[in-house]
Amino acid sequence: MTNDPPFLAVTMGDGAGVGPEVTVGALLAEETALACRPIVVGDAERLRRALRVRGERAEVAAVESVGDAVFAPGRINVVDLGLLPPDLPWGEVSPVAGDAAYHYVRVATELAVSGAVQGICTAPLNKEALRAGGHAFPGHTELLAHLTGTEEVSMMLSTPTVKVIHVTTHIGLIDAVARIEPGLVERTVRRGDDALRRSGVARPRIGVCAINPHAGENGLFGYGEEAAKITPAIERLHDAGIDARGPLPADTAFFLAGRGDYDLIVAMYHDQGHGPVKVLGIEAGVNITVGLPVIRTSVDHGTAFDIAGTGRAGVGSMIEALRQAAELSPSPPRK
């Protein structure tokens, strides 16, 4: 007997961006229906408007709880928080939309922590709108850590070609270099190693990037950051039986990962990891928060205000985020 597909809470993101459009588009895809049982946390009327924008037809059914959801072709179940005005414009920063996006994530997290759903998949929110709405979080990663009471989490970007986990993310480059230290590097690698083992990789091969060009070139570049901040962590990881190698020049590390030498690359700061992944194509990328007590995946693109409301947003990344959330999530308990 096959396991039942997991229930997933799907947050529709910032209502002024492409989140509602990619949400409805992905939920109507046949592969999504086969992989999981999704329940949107969002605004039912905004989803209906997104369907009209995309030129698609479906029933958007408001439900009170996961238990009330009915899964059938052409039906989208939504826990309707009703926080958006009907005339909310597309493509503009809105404190109302930012506040609503926060509450979508809050409710989805409550559903996951309670066990009503087995995972969370998030459409993009807008950081400026989130802050304008009264919620000072740099992004989903930090917000979910706060909501679950998790002290430290990591961002992992997953593509068919390469997976990347970040030691630091949404801080300035100077602050990132100051924050990097052996304990943080070690904990990040351990979270990545654990995530890959749980996904079926028996002994992950992990490449750890340097901070400076050419890994510092034996002290020629930088001020000895590799020796002080990264090498001690790799030595401790080796002692623990984890196959972590480095510090590696970042340009070489990503080339080697692309040809299959590494299962995971550890990036030291945001753009070091995001740049190569986005060159591969945003449609292929999925953002996974590692270290939470719940499964969470997301698209690896933003709210795209410039095309919001036009029906031009691609749904491939959202479909892949739902697929990976379903793959990582346990089966629901049988009643």
Side-chain angles (χ1 to χ4, degrees), residues 15-316:
V18 297
E21 296 170 65
V22 299
T23 297
V24 296
L27 293 191
L28 293 177
E30 183 179 357
E31 55 263 53
T32 300
L34 294 172
C36 62
R37 288 179 284 183
I39 300 95
V40 181
V41 182
D43 185 287
E45 189 51 44
R46 195 66 172 182
L47 294 173
R48 295 184 184 107
R49 189 172 172 187
L51 284 166
R52 292 194 292 272
V53 162
R54 289 183 56 83
E56 295 178 313
R57 299 186 66 180
E59 177 191 6
V60 176
V63 298
E64 292 292 327
S65 68
V66 174
D68 294 332
V70 175
F71 299 93
R75 176 185 165 109
I76 297 172
N77 298 285
V78 55
V79 176
D80 182 14
L81 301 192
L83 298 175
L84 298 180
D87 59 348
L88 178 75
W90 296 103
E92 296 180 12
V93 172
S94 164
V96 174
D99 179 57
Y102 166 83
H103 287 290
Y104 303 153
V105 178
R106 176 186 60 78
V107 172
T109 303
E110 291 171 356
L111 291 172
V113 170
S114 72
V117 299
Q118 284 68 57
I120 301 170
C121 183
T122 60
L125 50 71
N126 181 277
K127 297 175 180 63
E128 184 181 352
L130 188 68
R131 182 176 291 274
H135 308 287
F137 296 96
H140 272 115
T141 302
E142 297 82 2
L143 173 54
L144 285 158
H146 167 75
L147 291 171
T148 58
T150 306
E151 186 174 340
E152 192 174 270
V153 297
S154 297
M155 176 188 293
M156 179 186 288
L157 303 181
S158 176
T159 77
T161 306
V162 63
K163 290 180 172 59
V164 184
I165 193 168
H166 293 70
V167 175
T168 67
T169 49
H170 295 123
I171 56 175
L173 184 55
I174 292 173
D175 294 331
V177 174
R179 182 173 296 182
I180 296 165
E181 50 86 19
L184 179 58
V185 173
E186 180 182 357
R187 294 190 300 274
T188 303
V189 174
R190 286 181 179 273
R191 280 191 285 271
D193 181 76
D194 179 67
L196 263 64
R197 288 178 189 270
R198 285 189 283 111
S199 70
V201 180
R203 192 167 190 267
R205 300 162 300 164
I206 302 172
V208 181
C209 288
I211 296 171
N212 294 299
H214 296 221
E217 199 76 75
N218 295 317
L220 182 62
F221 305 130
Y223 299 92
E225 288 89 354
E226 281 72 28
K229 294 172 176 285
I230 301 174
T231 299
I234 291 175
E235 291 173 349
R236 291 200 291 266
L237 291 161
H238 285 173
D239 291 342
I242 294 174
D243 186 5
R245 310 172 196 178
L248 304 171
D251 50 0
T252 303
F254 282 99
F255 166 75
L256 294 174
R259 76 179 188 186
D261 290 13
Y262 294 110
D263 302 300
L264 178 68
I265 293 295
V266 181
M268 291 295 130
Y269 51 90
H270 184 281
D271 285 10
Q272 188 181 61
H274 276 64
V277 167
K278 291 191 175 181
V279 167
L280 294 172
I282 288 177
E283 284 290 308
V286 172
N287 184 331
I288 304 170
T289 306
V290 181
L292 293 171
V294 299
I295 299 299
R296 178 263 173 167
T297 67
S298 181
V299 293
D300 186 32
H301 62 73
T303 48
F305 278 174
D306 57 325
I307 61 169
T310 67
R312 289 161 44 201
V315 301

